């Protein structure tokens, strides 16, 4: 009597596996600290008693989209983005630039920690529709990540993984 067909089992194929099938490229999840290490430690801040005119100059000069608002002791008290300024421009045309940062800034700021996962930070930014997130470590401001930073880091990571896979397959 003929034997019935039995599909190959996983253990039957172990000896014929190639390197590319058995190598896990990314063992750990990328963190905010990974982004900050490549970005540098520049933190651009402004005080709540500065004018929007001064904030606009700082945004222009630094070529950034948001400033972290800190008090005299350096503690985080808000964030001022281009969007905040544009909204105020629409509400008070011709009278916006002399107004104080503290009156216009976003006061309830979502922050992350250096150990926070990039996927979690990206989800938070996307879900809540903001593009800048201050990074706080044990109560101390240590940086800021942007949605652009996160995407740039992830694209570089994917490019590196693709190159690594190509080398495994070819070489």
């Amino acid at each position: 009597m003929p034997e019935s067909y039995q599909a190959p089992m996983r253990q039957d194929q172990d000896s014929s596996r190639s390197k590319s099938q058995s190598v896990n490229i990314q063992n750990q999840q990328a963190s905010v600290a990974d982004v900050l290490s490549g970005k540098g430690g520049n933190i651009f801040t402004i005080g709540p008693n500065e004018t929007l005119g001064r904030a606009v100059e700082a945004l222009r000069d630094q070529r950034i989209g948001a400033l972290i608002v800190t008090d005299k002791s350096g503690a985080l008290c808000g964030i001022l983005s281009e969007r905040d300024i544009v909204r105020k421009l629409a509400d008070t045309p011709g009278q916006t630039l002399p107004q104080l940062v503290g009156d216009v800034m976003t006061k309830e700021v979502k922050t992350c920690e250096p150990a926070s996962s990039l996927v979690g930070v990206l989800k938070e930014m996307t879900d809540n529709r903001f593009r800048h997130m201050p990074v706080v470590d044990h109560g101390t401001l240590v940086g800021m990540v942007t949605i652009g930073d996160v995407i740039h880091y992830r694209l570089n990571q994917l490019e590196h993984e693709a190159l690594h896979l190509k080398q495994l397959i070819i070489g």
Side-chain angles (χ1 to χ4, degrees), residues 76-110:
L76 175 69
C77 55
I79 190 165
L80 181 73
S81 71
E82 294 167 322
R83 287 181 182 177
D84 295 324
I85 296 168
V86 167
R87 286 185 188 112
K88 193 50 123 174
L89 279 168
D91 293 342
T92 59
Q95 305 167 359
T96 305
L97 295 180
Q99 294 186 39
L100 297 180
V101 167
D103 295 334
V104 179
M105 70 183 184
T106 299
K107 293 178 178 129
E108 292 185 32
V109 182
K110 301 221 183 243

Side-chain angles (χ1 to χ4, degrees), residues 27-101:
N27 296 4
Q28 63 184 20
Q29 195 175 59
S31 70
V32 169
D34 297 326
V35 172
L36 290 180
S37 69
K39 179 180 177 176
N42 291 340
I43 304 172
F44 299 104
T45 63
I46 194 163
N49 294 322
E50 295 283 341
T51 65
L52 288 183
R54 176 65 193 108
V56 168
E57 290 171 354
L59 292 170
R60 178 199 63 207
D61 294 347
Q62 299 303 324
R63 300 182 61 163
I64 56 176
L67 292 164
I68 298 174
V69 184
T70 57
D71 63 16
K72 290 182 183 187
S73 70
L76 175 69
C77 55
I79 190 165
L80 181 73
S81 71
E82 294 167 322
R83 287 181 182 177
D84 295 324
I85 296 168
V86 167
R87 286 185 188 112
K88 193 50 123 174
L89 279 168
D91 293 342
T92 59
Q95 305 167 359
T96 305
L97 295 180
Q99 294 186 39
L100 297 180
V101 167

